[in-house]
Amino acid sequence: MNALFPALYDGSPAPALRFGDRALTHRQLAAVAGPLAERIGALAPGSAPRIAVWATPTLETSVGVVAALLAGVAAVPVNPKIGEHELTHIVTDSSPSLVLAEPDATLPGPLAALPRIDVEVTAPAEEPAPGPLPVEPGDESPALIVYTSGTTGPPKGVVLPRRALARTLDALEDAWQWTADDVLVHALPLFHVHGLILGVLGPLRRGGSVHHLGRFSTEAVARELSADGTMLFGVPTMYHRLALDAGENPALAKALARARLLVSGSAALPLTDHERLTAATGRRVIERYGMTETLMNTSVRADGPDATGTVGVPLPGVYVRLVDDAGQAIEASDGESVGEIQVRGPNLFTEYLNRPDATAAAFDGGWFRTGDMAVRDSSGNYRIVGRKATDLIKSGGYKIGAGEIENALLAHPGVAEAAVTGEPDEDLGERIVAWIVPEADPTAGPPPSAQELTDHVARQLAPHKRPRIVHFLDALPRNDMGKILKRDLRAAAPPAGAGDA
């Protein structure tokens, strides 16, 4: 396999990283990361060395991860908002030799006890001559160990080899027509696949550049896309704000319209926000589908037909199938037959660190069990209907995806946010429960009643898909990437009987 970042070895003077008013070219990045890689290699010896990275949304984090990759040392990105219990588990499980952090960062106990390298980034006054960089290790060498959210137990360390990073980013080059001329704009965290691998390492592999906003705002997005930004990566909560503001702000709508590519991921983008953005900008938002263990699996293609509401087709080199409850492949492409997504290809992780049992349980032969449920249409596009554990509701003999009910609820003008879950029911097996944040805008009219929303869903979809219980909340619990934490909803439920429909 070629070097992960050819532009560093070529000494390219093109822009690479920009955070606020601080920036590095590819040549400058090589000049800073090369010596840091040598220090890392000297302080993290062994056959499978690992280091922790205090992953703040900064230039230092990006340089630190690149240096670790150049050194052939697996980096463990750590969420700077992490709780002490989870952090202790990650440090104990991954046993990093040292930690990389920006010079003024105060590290919590488990990391503070490790040897530390401060990542100091000062762009040279003049473009340095390209210096020698390390010889990178082989394809299967661990590149990153990214810990899962741990919704069903302690977080698991997903070991991602260099092969998975390279093949995923090259497949996206094809699907998104991604080139060195692209300037990616985003404000995503740098301890997840979306923000770090796609959002930082992706532009560096292409020889292009990334402008990280530090903190998301619609004003910052408009500014960057009105300048030289060509691509925007975001999560649904970000696109929701952009959709609302673009309808009232012509400058923002114009900036979004001039972007070459708008990409949403990490959770499904509601159809209402797709429609608002298209109405305001004339542009469509592309969705893609991936997860920590698989990186990217599918995407709507930049050069393909409109496939709004789907996550597109398999990426080059990636194989995707649907299986039923018995583990048999579903051949139908009717947009109705629900099955679990299974994936195989060079994009897959190697193992869960220290968890051979979990690794073995995650595979069906050579196929990775994603736990995500989907349907496939006649064009080969996949539409995610939810997680098998939390979003597939078996009610009255029907298999019902929470996602389509959520989209129907969000189409009601009185609904700002919606989540749908199932709970045990003696007659139905499971009954459908809706969790609603009412629209705060007074122009939307009075808040809807539970019965009004139930009737609305029955008219939009089918009577058996209507919620049997509706709860009204002030906010939905979400994680750092904007995903709704459905397992936390029960704790937020109002007193029994409230909102029953």
Side-chain angles (χ1 to χ4, degrees):
M1 184 179 69
N2 295 328
L4 281 177
F5 311 116
L8 299 188
Y9 291 83
D10 296 341
S12 168
L17 300 171
R18 194 177 87 191
F19 287 72
D21 58 359
R22 304 172 65 213
L24 293 173
T25 65
H26 290 271
R27 182 178 296 190
Q28 290 171 332
L29 176 57
V32 174
L36 180 57
E38 292 184 4
R39 290 183 64 194
I40 292 171
L43 293 175
S47 59
R50 296 186 283 268
I51 63 170
V53 179
W54 190 240
T56 55
T58 60
L59 192 61
E60 284 76 11
T61 294
S62 302
V63 170
V65 171
V66 169
L69 291 170
L70 291 176
V73 175
V76 183
V78 178
N79 178 359
K81 296 180 181 179
I82 196 170
E84 184 174 354
H85 178 75
E86 187 172 347
L87 176 60
T88 299
H89 166 73
I90 290 173
V91 172
T92 301
D93 189 55
S94 62
S95 302
S97 302
L98 57 91
V99 58
L100 302 184
E102 54 196 301
D104 57 350
T106 300
L107 301 180
L111 288 180
L114 295 174
R116 171 173 173 165
I117 294 180
D118 284 339
V119 181
E120 300 190 37
V121 180
T122 303
E126 297 182 0
E127 287 285 347
L133 292 175
V135 176
E136 297 186 31
D139 293 8
E140 297 304 315
S141 176
L144 295 168
I145 301 174
V146 181
Y147 277 79
T148 62
S149 58
T151 55
T152 58
K156 297 189 290 289
V158 178
V159 181
L160 295 167
R162 302 169 73 88
R163 169 255 304 158
L165 271 63
R167 294 296 291 270
T168 281
L169 296 175
D170 291 350
L172 292 177
E173 175 190 24
D174 177 84
W176 294 346
Q177 315 294 291
W178 199 346
T179 75
D181 294 329
D182 279 308
V183 177
L184 172 61
V185 176
H186 77 85
L188 298 162
L190 300 189
F191 48 86
H192 279 305
V193 167
H194 195 171
L196 179 60
I197 298 179
L198 272 61
V200 172
L201 305 186
L204 295 182
R205 182 158 177 81
R206 298 278 70 79
S209 64
V210 56
H211 292 181
H212 197 284
L213 304 178
R215 181 185 296 273
F216 173 80
S217 72
T218 58
E219 294 80 9
V221 168
R223 181 186 69 243
E224 295 298 331
L225 293 182
S226 295
D228 55 354
T230 65
M231 301 168 65
L232 176 67
F233 287 179
V235 296
T237 51
M238 296 175 179
Y239 278 106
H240 178 68
R241 288 178 55 187
L242 290 168
L244 293 177
D245 288 2
E248 306 294 331
N249 184 339
L252 174 61
K254 183 178 179 180
L256 291 168
R258 71 180 299 275
R260 187 183 70 78
L261 200 66
L262 304 174
V263 182
S264 180
S266 298
L269 181 64
L271 289 174
T272 50
D273 289 327
H274 273 289
E275 292 164 356
R276 287 172 178 149
L277 283 162
T278 299
T281 68
R283 299 297 307 279
R284 60 175 177 149
V285 178
I286 281 178
E287 291 190 84
R288 84 300 181 282
Y289 164 63
M291 55 195 309
T292 306
E293 291 91 338
T294 67
L295 299 185
M296 293 301 106
N297 301 313
T298 71
S299 179
V300 175
R301 293 187 59 89
D303 58 353
D306 179 42
T308 298
T310 80
V311 292
V313 297
L315 292 171
V318 179
Y319 297 89
V320 179
R321 71 176 184 179
L322 299 178
V323 299
D324 60 22
D325 291 343
Q328 298 301 306
I330 295 173
E331 303 298 336
S333 295
D334 54 10
E336 295 291 336
S337 300
V338 177
E340 181 187 2
I341 298 175
Q342 294 189 348
V343 179
R344 64 180 175 90
N347 54 318
L348 293 186
F349 74 129
T350 303
E351 63 177 341
Y352 291 117
L353 186 66
N354 303 322
R355 291 291 305 276
D357 56 335
T359 304
F363 284 87
D364 176 5
W367 295 88
F368 176 72
R369 310 173 196 264
T370 68
D372 290 318
M373 308 300 289
V375 299
R376 182 177 52 236
D377 68 21
S378 58
S379 298
N381 294 299
Y382 286 81
R383 178 169 60 83
I384 309 294
V385 301
R387 291 290 293 169
K388 186 175 184 179
T390 57
D391 296 321
L392 184 67
I393 303 167
K394 297 179 180 179
S395 182
Y398 295 97
K399 289 183 180 179
I400 303 167
E404 63 175 336
I405 304 174
E406 290 164 354
N407 273 322
L409 289 165
L410 288 166
H412 191 287
V415 174
E417 298 181 72
V420 169
T421 60
E423 67 179 30
D425 184 275
E426 290 185 5
D427 295 326
L428 297 170
E430 286 186 292
R431 55 179 172 265
I432 298 169
V433 181
W435 307 79
I436 303 297
V437 177
E439 178 59 65
D441 185 351
T443 62
S449 67
Q451 189 63 53
E452 181 181 348
L453 293 178
T454 296
D455 293 342
H456 170 77
V457 172
R459 289 193 301 269
Q460 295 287 317
L461 301 175
H464 69 267
K465 296 180 180 180
R466 69 189 187 279
R468 304 297 176 131
I469 297 175
V470 179
H471 295 304
F472 293 93
L473 304 175
D474 293 330
L476 299 178
R478 296 179 182 271
N479 67 11
D480 292 302
M481 297 299 287
K483 289 184 180 180
I484 298 170
L485 300 174
K486 292 193 174 182
R487 295 180 186 275
D488 294 348
L489 282 170
R490 180 52 55 190
D500 285 12

